Amino acid sequence: MRMIAAASAREILTGLHEVMASRATAQAKLNKVVQIIGEALASEVCSIYLRREGVLELFATRGLNQEAVHVTKLAMGEGLVGTIAEQIATLNLDEATSHPDFAYKPETGEELFHSFAGVPIIRKEDAVGVLCVQHAEPRRYEEVEIEALQTVAMVLSELIANAGLIDNAEARGSKVQNTAALRLNGLKLVDGMAKGHAVFHQPRITIEHTVAEDIEAERHRVYSAFDKMREQIDKMASQAEFGGEGEHRDVIEMYKMFAYDEGWSRRINEAIDSGLTAEAAIERVQQRTRMRMRQIDDPLLADRMHDLEDMSNRLLRIVSGQLASAAQAGLRRDTILIARNLGPAELLEYDRRRLKGVILEEGSLTAHVIIVARAMGIPVLGRVKDIRRLISDGDLLLVDVGQSAVFVRPTPAMEEAFETQLAVTQKRRAGFAALKREPPVSKDGLRVTLMINAGLRDDIAALDATGADGIGLFRTEFQFLVSATMPQRERQLRLYRDVIEAAGKKPVVFRTVDIGGDKALPYMRQDDEDEENPAMGWRAIRVALERDGLMKAQARALIEAAAGTTLNVMFPMVSEPWEFDQARAIFEKQREFLIARGKRIPREIRYGAMLEVPALAECLDLLLPKLEFISIGTNDLTQFLFAADRAHPKLAERFDWLSPAILRFLSRVVKQCDAANVPVTVCGEMGGRGLEALALLGIGIERLSITPAAVGPIKAMIRSLNVADARSVVNGLLQTPPESIRAVLGEWAMQNKVEI
Ligand code: PEP
Ligand code: MG
């Protein structure tokens, strides 16, 4: 039986190939198809039900009464056929009537038949119909016969879609919920509102042909695609850090496992044997896996399924030569980008004018891609579960990060509410803009220094637009991230000069390159290719001191760019004072070199260190006498204090910046810096959030460098705050912390009418 059935899949496909190529009408083709399948599987009955207007309609049959065609209809979930479609599952029964979902349709005359097997006809992960066979004898169909049916169902889905036999929405593969309006919730990553159409970062592959012309050629295509994919994965695994932040080491390991999984390639090969094209074979195997996984309710397996889907899509993209990312195709209209996760460089590839918002299935607040998005002013909603499954390419989306929501295919009422909210937000924003020329002075007269974080050339404009006091953190590595090749000294010099010129009298604090961690440079090879923990590994000043050619070039570019003015420079990830000494010495040497060459140099170079590694706080007494300023990078600092990867999606909401541990730590640092008369700034994302900024002022911070969009709201907060009061409240909270500092401080802010 096995052999007969195995041969039959191929036989059926050969038969179908002729039918598909013929000039007959779609209905005639379907009639022919049921004959071919019925004969091949020695079944008295073979029927095709297709979904039309939400119900499953009998479109063609061999063996049932012909009068029932286009008459018999089953709702989704009704009867065996409806169950198969709704659950996207296969049924194989020796006695159909004994199944609890069996529904008798007298017009079909099916009471004569006992055994029943049915498979869903799937289009883009959704059932658009059902193919079933019935037999007079009560017998269960063999596994290989079921597989033959599933293979045929794949081909049918192509025929059906091409012939326009089902509704457009259904042909697109939309699920019932894929046409309805939806509200999906996520995590606020970059505040803002956006309206646009869904574009998948990694577009779905459309399979054009399912039946192979030449089986050996298809096999060859799959082999070479596997080779290429394995090469890609090996490369990814051997890079010390990975482009996409979601691509953690364990994911890569999983990828590797799948890429080399013999079972997977063998099953694809078998599907090709049955007569499918390479693309259809990959998809066929994926469909089968999906069907199996649906029956197992295990979140861990679901995660693995996610990885396998990614791999399968990767293989499909390679084999079909379709584009790797939507950025390469170019955006045609207002876009909301949908992705599992993105790396900063990937985001920067998109056209900023058309990219209105981003929705991620993963994502965390201080991941660099989010910092880049914030700098670009692009709202991002993260941790939206299953978004890639629930929406279709081109769907209209309304993103309202303030509400932690995205509205999918909105109803007119949803759109109206969105527009109203948008108007409110714009009005608030106009209010903030009006504050532009007002100083950030608290109610009790403290003049706070409010600066912005920047990194791209376009960010310079934000200085004027916000009226900020300067650039407190210029992330020089962004230029490295957006370039295809290492930016040479001349190019660096030009950027720094433009920034300094545009800032005029306002100070700019340049941070030397911080690469490594989640900021990968594709063109820079890492020496240690197998870093376990890139964030705690070879990054920032550690790279710079070892590869000092890079640091020297940057030092010269900065010194030349700041000729005649004051250059403020700081070093990232300093862990011990000697690192600061060495970095400073490199700069000083370049300064002398330039003087010897008769070049103009800055009037003054002010050196600072970022405090991001907790160990440095223990040596402040040694460090403070050596430098002009300190800047606290709370993004890294908190990840190290809590031992919680800042890019790890599962930890995104676990720890609170308003925790006693962080605030007490910062408070000690501030006191020490104050005593040594060294100005201290907070430049992490924490300072751009209302309540966090309030707490920072409460522990004595008077200088903040924040994302430009936060300048208005933070200034409004400062202007409505009595800092002396805030200090005594925060002090009290740190001495005897309540269960939630956030809750108590929030309440206090509300009662005291502080604008948060
Ligand atoms: C920080 O770590 O807080 C910081 C400002 O630097 P980055 O986010 O670029 O690592
Ligand atoms: Mg940092």
Side-chain angles (χ1 to χ4, degrees):
M1 183 48 141
R2 205 160 207 288
M3 287 312 295
I4 296 167
S8 62
R10 181 118 163 224
E11 195 181 292
I12 297 171
L13 248 49
T14 316
L16 286 188
H17 192 240
E18 280 162 27
V19 177
M20 304 264 290
S22 77
R23 290 176 163 270
T25 64
Q27 180 67 53
K29 283 181 184 175
L30 287 183
N31 294 345
K32 195 91 184 85
V33 167
V34 290
Q35 295 301 338
I36 294 174
I37 300 170
E39 267 164 37
L41 294 187
S43 295
E44 284 93 345
V45 179
C46 176
S47 314
I48 293 172
Y49 291 80
L50 296 184
R51 208 161 98 192
R52 187 145 73 166
E53 289 164 7
V55 295
L56 294 151
E57 179 177 322
L58 180 64
F59 259 70
T61 185
R62 135 183 164 130
L64 296 184
N65 292 337
Q66 288 306 314
E67 295 79 58
V69 173
H70 297 301
V71 172
T72 295
K73 289 180 184 157
L74 290 145
M76 292 293 279
E78 183 191 359
L80 300 179
V81 166
T83 304
I84 291 168
E86 191 182 63
Q87 295 179 359
I88 317 185
T90 296
L91 280 183
N92 183 7
L93 310 166
D94 41 12
E95 192 49 76
T97 50
S98 63
H99 192 278
D101 289 326
F102 180 78
Y104 177 54
K105 294 278 170 184
E107 70 275 12
T108 60
E110 63 183 334
E111 61 275 16
L112 300 173
F113 307 101
H114 291 276
S115 59
F116 174 99
V119 299
I121 300 170
I122 302 170
R123 187 95 187 140
K124 295 193 179 157
E125 293 180 43
D126 192 25
V128 292
V130 171
L131 167 67
C132 54
V133 286
Q134 286 168 279
H135 204 276
E137 295 293 307
R139 71 157 175 104
R140 267 172 92 82
Y141 285 84
E142 294 276 324
E143 185 62 18
V144 270
E145 291 177 293
I146 299 292
E147 289 194 0
L149 274 180
Q150 287 169 341
T151 302
V152 171
M154 270 216 69
V155 179
L156 278 180
S157 95
E158 180 197 330
L159 187 155
I160 290 160
N162 290 347
L165 282 177
I166 37 179
D167 300 345
N168 226 357
E170 279 151 357
R172 269 195 300 136
S174 304
K175 296 174 184 291
V176 180
Q177 67 261 40
N178 269 11
T179 55
L182 273 182
R183 175 194 165 124
L184 300 173
N185 292 326
L187 173 69
K188 292 177 197 172
L189 291 179
V190 178
D191 207 1
M193 298 179 77
K195 180 176 182 175
H197 294 270
V199 170
F200 287 89
H201 170 56
Q202 295 193 324
R204 263 198 178 137
I205 307 296
T206 28
I207 298 177
E208 314 233 321
H209 300 292
T210 50
V211 183
E213 298 277 345
D214 174 348
I215 287 183
E216 283 319 308
E218 296 302 319
R219 201 187 313 283
H220 186 73
R221 289 178 68 216
V222 162
Y223 280 152
S224 54
F226 258 103
D227 282 349
K228 206 156 171 189
M229 182 182 66
R230 286 172 182 160
E231 220 171 86
Q232 284 180 2
I233 303 293
D234 288 345
K235 198 163 149 213
M236 218 194 256
S238 71
Q239 272 163 1
E241 20 117 310
F242 317 112
E245 281 150 12
E247 294 175 331
H248 282 280
R249 176 155 296 277
D250 50 350
V251 173
I252 302 284
E253 281 308 313
M254 246 330 127
Y255 281 5
K256 214 169 160 175
M257 213 184 80
F258 287 130
Y260 285 93
D261 179 28
E262 288 299 324
W264 186 32
S265 49
R266 194 194 62 240
R267 281 190 291 278
I268 292 175
N269 237 316
E270 282 168 5
I272 289 181
D273 278 340
S274 71
L276 293 175
T277 57
E279 287 89 342
I282 298 167
E283 178 60 21
R284 161 82 184 83
V285 170
Q286 195 53 16
Q287 276 183 11
R288 184 166 58 182
T289 316
R290 261 183 228 127
M291 259 196 251
R292 296 223 163 122
M293 296 300 261
R294 258 186 217 110
Q295 288 153 9
I296 313 168
D297 189 18
D298 176 343
L300 216 68
L301 276 180
D303 263 5
R304 295 289 76 88
M305 186 61 204
H306 222 120
D307 299 336
L308 183 58
E309 290 275 356
D310 278 359
M311 289 300 288
S312 196
N313 287 337
R314 189 181 285 265
L315 194 60
L316 268 177
R317 270 197 303 277
I318 296 173
V319 96
S320 65
Q322 292 180 37
L323 290 170
S325 131
Q328 287 154 280
L331 303 178
R332 285 197 306 275
R333 54 181 176 177
D334 286 358
T335 289
I336 308 288
L337 192 65
I338 313 294
R340 176 180 181 175
N341 212 336
L342 287 172
E346 285 176 309
L347 178 65
L348 286 164
E349 271 176 28
Y350 284 93
D351 179 348
R352 283 175 84 161
R353 287 160 306 170
R354 300 230 163 90
L355 184 59
K356 300 296 173 191
V358 175
I359 300 182
L360 302 177
E361 278 184 3
E362 299 185 345
S364 66
L365 211 51
T366 57
H368 276 100
V369 62
I370 301 307
I371 291 170
V372 172
R374 207 169 281 134
M376 290 163 81
I378 296 170
V380 184
L381 189 66
R383 308 204 47 75
V384 182
K385 271 188 77 176
D386 273 351
I387 179 95
R388 287 180 301 167
R389 194 174 59 77
L390 293 170
I391 64 171
S392 307
D393 198 47
D395 275 348
L396 179 63
L397 304 177
L398 308 175
V399 184
D400 186 347
V401 182
Q403 283 198 60
S404 308
V406 53
F407 299 92
V408 183
R409 301 172 293 267
T411 59
M414 282 174 176
E415 266 193 83
E416 206 182 306
F418 180 86
E419 298 296 342
T420 312
Q421 182 59 33
L422 189 62
V424 173
T425 309
Q426 277 164 348
K427 208 165 146 209
R428 266 192 80 207
R429 202 172 287 161
F432 292 141
L435 278 181
K436 188 179 127 176
R437 296 192 198 293
E438 304 294 331
V441 178
S442 72
K443 268 166 67 183
D444 52 344
L446 177 75
R447 172 65 165 87
V448 175
T449 302
L450 206 49
M451 297 175 289
I452 56 165
N453 295 342
L456 299 168
R457 184 181 292 272
D458 293 3
D459 295 341
I460 307 172
L463 202 49
D464 236 17
T466 57
D469 292 320
I471 298 177
L473 165 64
F474 190 88
R475 291 181 164 102
T476 58
E477 67 276 6
F478 279 12
Q479 186 188 21
F480 288 67
L481 280 173
V482 296
S483 310
T485 54
M486 181 84 82
Q488 298 304 316
R489 192 165 49 85
E490 273 302 311
R491 250 165 78 203
Q492 296 181 39
L493 172 64
R494 257 180 277 136
L495 173 66
Y496 305 152
R497 191 174 274 153
D498 291 350
V499 174
I500 293 170
E501 259 169 34
K505 287 198 167 48
K506 294 179 177 177
V508 181
V509 181
F510 290 95
R511 173 178 73 186
T512 57
V513 284
D514 178 1
I515 44 177
D518 60 355
K519 287 176 275 196
L521 294 186
Y523 47 83
M524 186 168 152
R525 239 177 54 84
Q526 301 261 333
D527 287 346
D528 174 7
E529 298 208 323
D530 273 324
E531 263 194 292
E532 281 285 342
N533 285 302
M536 296 197 288
W538 200 56
R539 65 174 276 208
I541 196 170
R542 303 167 184 186
V543 180
L545 291 181
E546 207 172 306
R547 293 256 180 104
D548 65 356
L550 189 69
M551 176 86 127
K552 280 181 190 157
Q554 184 168 37
R556 268 181 56 193
L558 282 168
I559 295 171
E560 284 189 53
T565 69
T566 299
L567 171 65
N568 299 288
V569 55
M570 65 180 177
F571 308 114
M573 290 284 290
V574 177
S575 315
E576 293 200 295
W578 65 265
E579 292 171 319
F580 172 81
D581 293 338
Q582 280 196 7
R584 185 192 160 119
I586 292 177
F587 266 73
E588 284 299 303
K589 208 150 174 202
Q590 291 307 312
R591 185 163 76 136
E592 280 156 24
F593 174 84
L594 290 170
I595 292 173
R597 289 278 179 103
K599 297 263 187 189
R600 268 182 80 219
I601 56 152
R603 264 186 285 123
E604 184 193 6
I605 304 183
R606 297 176 74 243
Y607 294 99
M610 288 193 72
L611 193 144
E612 307 182 271
V613 180
L616 191 64
E618 296 303 322
C619 294
L620 280 181
D621 56 327
L622 308 176
L623 180 73
L624 291 175
K626 300 171 188 269
L627 45 61
E628 273 82 29
F629 62 94
I630 285 272
S631 195
I632 307 179
T634 48
N635 303 336
D636 276 311
L637 183 67
T638 43
Q639 82 166 336
F640 298 130
L641 273 179
F642 278 127
D645 185 347
R646 64 192 264 187
H648 199 302
K650 290 211 167 63
L651 300 176
E653 291 169 280
R654 191 176 178 97
F655 300 104
D656 191 349
W657 273 314
L658 295 183
S659 73
I662 293 175
L663 294 176
R664 282 178 176 172
F665 185 97
L666 293 178
S667 164
R668 270 196 294 130
V669 171
V670 173
K671 285 201 180 84
Q672 245 182 308
C673 291
D674 282 353
N677 239 332
V678 172
V680 53
T681 305
V682 166
C683 65
E685 300 309 303
M686 179 180 177
R689 297 162 67 93
L691 213 51
E692 280 84 343
L694 192 167
L696 289 171
L697 295 175
I699 58 166
I701 289 282
E702 297 181 7
R703 302 168 60 84
L704 293 172
S705 187
I706 59 181
T707 189
V711 170
I714 296 296
K715 196 187 274 186
M717 186 278 288
I718 294 169
R719 292 174 61 85
S720 62
L721 179 75
N722 184 312
V723 174
D725 291 351
R727 287 195 176 149
S728 78
V729 169
V730 172
N731 233 328
L733 291 176
L734 288 192
Q735 265 162 30
T736 40
E739 197 180 315
S740 162
I741 293 185
R742 179 172 296 282
V744 178
L745 198 60
E747 183 63 35
W748 179 86
M750 215 159 76
Q751 276 168 8
N752 288 274
K753 302 199 166 49
V754 184
E755 282 183 44
I756 299 285

